[in-house]
Amino acid sequence: MERLRQLIILFVLVTVLEHASSARILTISKPDRHDIAASSRWLVSQNIWGVLSTLSIEHDGAPFGNVVSYSDGLPGKGNGIPYFYLTMLDPTTRNALKDSRASFAISESPIGTCKRDPMDPTCSKLTLTGKLLQLSEGSEEEKVAKRALFTKHPEMMDWPKGHEFSVFKLDIINIFLINWYGGAKSITVDEYLRYKETKVASFL
């Protein structure tokens, strides 16, 4: 009986550790919805993936959306600019090299702070529109971006070298945010980029 109890405890501990290893290490409290810049930057810093859309060169310029991982900086040091680690085998990359116009959409839903349907206005969603640009290999910005990407997505370091992965960033031109009823909120790119996170981080 004692042996069975020990096995049950061990099983519970292993299950907890498995969930803990996949959980985020760091999170920042959700900002007041009236602080538009804070809300936008929070969505970008706390998410790990979104839908990156480009103009397809294979389908006569039709929009092509692709689920991609990203990072905007090291934990607590995000700059609001999404960085991507993309392979030349991906249509998204080929599209961007031909026509850099792109948009990137993310939702509050994956963060876990919204319990309603993702389309509900109170479940924040953000679309950043701009140009998807390849960073120069070996540049200081590329080194910073790689550290940010590999910190948030460590498995990227083991992706096949022969697939020609490169770092890209979204040069933001327009911001579309819905975080409550009443339609899209007004925010300029300058207001978005100048915002500095001041919330105290808490560990999960």
Side-chain angles (χ1 to χ4, degrees):
M1 193 67 180
E2 179 63 21
R3 177 64 174 168
L4 178 60
R5 189 175 71 85
Q6 291 175 348
L7 288 173
I8 292 173
I9 292 173
L10 179 62
F11 174 78
V12 171
L13 286 173
V14 170
T15 302
V16 169
L17 287 172
E18 285 180 348
H19 283 287
S21 65
S22 63
R24 293 188 191 157
I25 297 174
L26 190 67
T27 188
I28 296 173
S29 301
K30 184 177 179 179
D32 186 296
R33 63 181 175 84
H34 296 99
D35 191 336
I36 306 305
S39 296
S40 301
R41 290 288 296 273
W42 175 80
L43 272 174
V44 173
S45 70
Q46 296 304 290
N47 257 299
I48 61 172
W49 65 272
V51 177
L52 182 60
S53 297
T54 52
L55 301 177
S56 175
I57 58 176
E58 298 175 0
H59 302 287
D60 300 320
F64 178 81
N66 199 1
V67 172
V68 296
S69 300
Y70 78 97
S71 177
D72 78 322
L74 296 173
K77 298 181 180 180
N79 62 10
I81 299 173
Y83 293 104
F84 311 94
Y85 198 48
L86 305 175
T87 170
M88 295 301 171
L89 303 178
D90 194 316
T92 297
T93 309
R94 298 196 297 271
N95 294 341
L97 292 176
K98 182 72 174 180
D99 188 331
S100 62
R101 288 177 294 173
S103 66
F104 185 53
I106 56 178
S107 167
E108 180 184 350
S109 186
I111 300 174
T113 51
C114 176
K115 304 303 180 184
R116 298 193 177 191
D117 188 273
M119 287 188 67
D120 189 288
T122 63
C123 192
S124 302
K125 68 267 306 161
L126 178 76
T127 300
L128 303 174
T129 304
K131 295 182 177 182
L132 187 58
L133 305 176
Q134 184 177 14
L135 299 186
S136 299
E137 187 175 357
S139 67
E140 188 59 33
E141 185 176 15
E142 192 226 24
K143 293 176 184 176
V144 171
K146 272 189 174 180
R147 284 198 297 271
L149 286 161
F150 294 168
T151 298
K152 188 172 277 190
H153 308 278
E155 65 271 26
M156 286 181 173
M157 291 185 284
D158 297 323
W159 287 357
K161 304 299 181 185
H163 288 189
E164 298 181 87
F165 282 94
S166 292
V167 180
F168 285 74
K169 75 172 181 180
L170 187 67
D171 187 17
I172 304 168
I173 296 174
N174 183 264
I175 300 169
F176 177 90
L177 171 73
I178 291 181
N179 68 344
W180 199 253
Y181 302 104
K185 304 305 184 290
S186 176
I187 177 174
T188 67
V189 175
D190 185 57
E191 290 169 337
Y192 170 84
L193 292 176
R194 281 193 293 107
Y195 172 78
K196 299 295 183 183
E197 290 178 342
T198 56
K199 300 288 184 179
V200 175
S202 60
F203 289 88
L204 289 180

